[in-house]
Amino acid sequence: MKPRFTTTERPGLELFDPVQDRRFELETSSPVDPTPVGTGRFRFPVDAAVEVAVDRLVLPYVVETYVRDPDGSPLVEAEHYAYEELPPDEYCLELHAPIKTFVRVDGEVTVASSVDRMEFDFGEETTVRVGARSYHERPAATVRTTADPEDLMAAVSTFGSALKTTSPERSFPTLRGHPPTVELGDDLAIPDGLDSPDTGVHIEVPADRQSVYAVSTLAYYLGADVRPGERPRIVTDDGFEHSLRTDRGFDAEVARVLQQVFLLDCLTRTEGLYPVDLHERQAVEDDVSLSFPDLYDAPSAERLAAYLSVPFDAVRDAVPTWRLAAHVTPDAENATLLPYLVDDLAVVRRADAQGRRRARSSTPSYVDEFVRSVDRGRRAERDEPYVSPPETDALEQAWLGDGRVFGANELRRAAFEHRDRATTADDIDIDIVCNDERMREEVEDGALYGDRDDLPFDVTVHANCSTGTLAELLASETDFLHYVGHVEAGGFVCPDGVLDAESLDRTGARTFFLNGCNSYRQGVSLVENGSIGGIVTHGDVGNGGATAVGRLVARLLNAGFSLRSALAVVRERRIVANQYTVVGDGGVEVAQNESGIPVFYRVRSTDADGEYGVRIDTYPTSERGMGSLYIPYIGDVETHFIAGGPLPEFRIGADELGYYLQMEQFPVVLDGSFCWSTDLGVDDLR
């Protein structure tokens, strides 16, 4: 499952990560013959490496690049419109691409980039080593624990063992390894080597499961032990203490500490290997009495005490919008999913029966229009308990516990058991099923997917599938299945009858979108039988609204949004989207984003002649998670931002804005109207 290197016809070298299903191409002036080599000569960890003879490497788009000396010290940082000539020497090029890439070269290097192209010229044919590292980290071990809160504390205390560093660089997602998995058993069994790092930091909470769950992400990030105590608090070996019982409430204080420490780590790490010009540091540096150079080298406990001496109000506005907030009930089996939430650096909030309702009825989304149900108005599951979690400021919401979930991702244990499934092939396989010709408008000829030159898609449209054909299709391996048609209580409606997904022995679709009425039960069955996650509906959906949602979801997934973030964007635009939800692991992406992090532009006209205000919302992903950096490449902006939520508004002229909108396809709201960047030209802005 290590990254693989293959040649391309372009010609060039393609890197493929089978774990994350990510690709990255390095174009060359002539065909290359990659030879596998060892990884020991790279300053940073890589999973696989090859040697090739080239005179230059060309990227199909610009990625953030560092040129470093053999010791890892940065010499040059290159972005758009860079031009750097370096004399003959030994260099390591670090490329923040969809697959972490390093190039070792001994010789001269010229780095040149435009708005949509980047080139590394070595002057003459030179033997270089190309190394690749997957952004994905799998659990290294399994901890067995009972449901007893103190045993759970011991299990959660092992999570910090997965950190690759306890320095401020732990704020980079690539330096936070996946915590060990957790399984329930009759005793506590912790494998050797899973001790928490020696940070001198401990967290005390009451001996109940919900309190342990609530501090799991904080304990992981701090590398802290969790211990029983009457008063929830953080304590260090050198006498520092911080109460977690404040006027904000326990959950809110835990989240506040996590976010504040994380933010200040991001600021402090600019004193180390990545000395970037960071917007958030500029925003708060004058308001906090901290010496970032001193803190960079300080012990963990000392750094933590300094961070928490800063009033939260001084840094609140600089904290990025968190990717995921998860509401977790105290059920013992929920402990087994904590490692996956923690790996996403999720804010974990305690949940109980107060968040539940009884679904008396489901408001139809149709108004005398054709609906995607053959039993319109039927409410067979009217009395089923459902869950409506409280809103948070996070970009994405999830619920872990019993109940049928509205307004959040319904996490299911089976989805995470299937998470490490290998991808189907080098291409991204997408199967579209249209079982009613009246709904053909949603999928047309399949062109909704695969319209990007940088990714190979294999899209197949299937029409009017029989129960047997659909069963075979659902069981066959594919990356994504988009179903358009009728769904009733018993299953998918086919020309010769109804197919119930629960009858399948196995599901081959890794992810799916079931765009028919009341498809929730069928989606749950797909996840239980092998899928990772998918989008489903709770009630009847009118054909017009469902078509609009389906087309929008398709383009968002095509642009690299996760299932959860795609649905979050859709909910902003259409009321009918309230009938849709995600089951399973909603953090999964079908396709990688072209520049690494999906974005949503909100553009408004200003009073200035021909000038626009541009606000960019950023959406961290599974591989470019919390702590990743983003540069908008707009106007003369050269500052880095921490990914997550909206960036400050930029001012830009119509000509320049029109140019940037054509660089990549992403959603845009222009003066209140939704559209896509590549559909807008300069004439539309004048």
Side-chain angles (χ1 to χ4, degrees), residues 286-566:
D286 292 339
D287 297 324
V288 299
S289 300
L290 297 176
S291 172
F292 293 112
D294 292 340
L295 287 173
Y296 182 80
D297 295 317
S300 295
E302 180 181 330
R303 195 167 62 244
L304 174 64
Y307 286 171
L308 295 182
S309 70
V310 176
F312 187 55
D313 286 343
V315 299
R316 183 193 305 272
D317 292 342
V319 174
T321 304
W322 223 248
R323 182 191 184 193
L324 178 62
H327 306 266
V328 180
T329 64
D331 304 287
E333 57 269 22
N334 288 344
T336 62
L337 265 65
L338 286 180
Y340 301 99
L341 295 177
V342 166
D343 185 53
D344 277 338
L345 213 64
V347 168
V348 177
R349 295 184 176 275
R350 297 174 298 174
D352 55 31
Q354 293 179 354
R356 303 184 184 183
R357 307 283 193 275
R358 297 289 295 185
R360 299 182 182 277
S361 63
S362 179
T363 303
S365 62
Y366 54 81
V367 181
D368 283 335
E369 68 167 326
F370 166 52
V371 297
R372 297 188 172 186
S373 173
V374 294
D375 50 2
R376 172 172 171 168
R378 182 175 177 178
R379 296 291 180 265
E381 298 164 338
R382 171 176 303 177
D383 296 324
E384 182 180 11
Y386 75 88
V387 175
S388 182
E391 291 292 328
T392 72
D393 294 332
L395 293 168
E396 304 169 12
Q397 299 254 72
W399 173 271
L400 178 55
D402 293 335
R404 180 168 171 167
V405 184
F406 284 71
N409 176 190
E410 181 178 315
L411 301 173
R412 302 189 72 87
R413 186 176 303 104
F416 295 90
E417 295 171 354
H418 306 148
R419 203 178 191 184
D420 293 334
R421 283 179 49 183
T423 53
T424 57
D426 287 348
D427 289 353
I428 298 176
D429 288 336
I430 294 178
D431 286 284
I432 301 174
V433 176
C434 183
N435 261 11
D436 190 318
E437 284 299 322
R438 293 171 295 177
M439 305 176 190
R440 186 80 180 190
E441 180 186 355
E442 180 172 331
V443 297
E444 294 178 342
D445 58 355
L448 282 174
Y449 299 97
D451 59 350
R452 291 170 51 187
D453 294 335
D454 61 313
L455 283 181
F457 285 80
D458 187 358
V459 182
T460 306
V461 179
H462 312 264
N464 300 317
C465 293
S466 66
T467 54
T469 300
L470 183 57
E472 291 180 3
L473 189 59
L474 290 171
S476 63
E477 294 290 333
T478 189
D479 292 300
F480 184 69
L481 184 136
H482 185 154
Y483 174 84
V484 178
H486 295 293
V487 182
E488 63 178 27
F492 299 96
V493 177
C494 301
D496 61 339
V498 176
L499 173 68
D500 190 346
E502 191 173 353
S503 67
L504 300 173
D505 294 330
R506 180 180 178 278
T507 304
R510 296 177 71 247
T511 56
F512 56 84
F513 179 21
L514 306 184
N515 203 6
C517 295
N518 292 291
S519 62
Y520 168 81
R521 286 293 182 195
Q522 297 305 305
V524 168
S525 294
L526 292 181
V527 170
E528 293 298 322
N529 289 336
S531 293
I532 298 174
I535 299 174
V536 297
T537 62
H538 280 303
D540 288 349
V541 289
N543 187 59
T547 296
V549 170
R551 295 181 65 83
L552 180 51
V553 165
R555 295 188 75 170
L556 290 167
L557 295 178
N558 195 55
F561 284 76
S562 69
L563 297 177
R564 274 196 306 255
S565 60

Side-chain angles (χ1 to χ4, degrees), residues 127 629 655:
T127 298
L629 294 177
D655 289 347

Side-chain angles (χ1 to χ4, degrees), residues 573-604:
R573 309 312 310 161
R574 306 193 66 86
I575 296 176
V576 71
N578 292 329
Q579 297 280 26
Y580 292 79
T581 195
V582 180
V583 293
D585 177 10
V588 67
E589 298 110 29
V590 176
Q592 70 197 50
N593 177 264
E594 186 172 332
S595 58
I597 295 178
V599 294
F600 185 174
Y601 273 41
R602 302 175 192 272
V603 182
R604 67 177 184 87

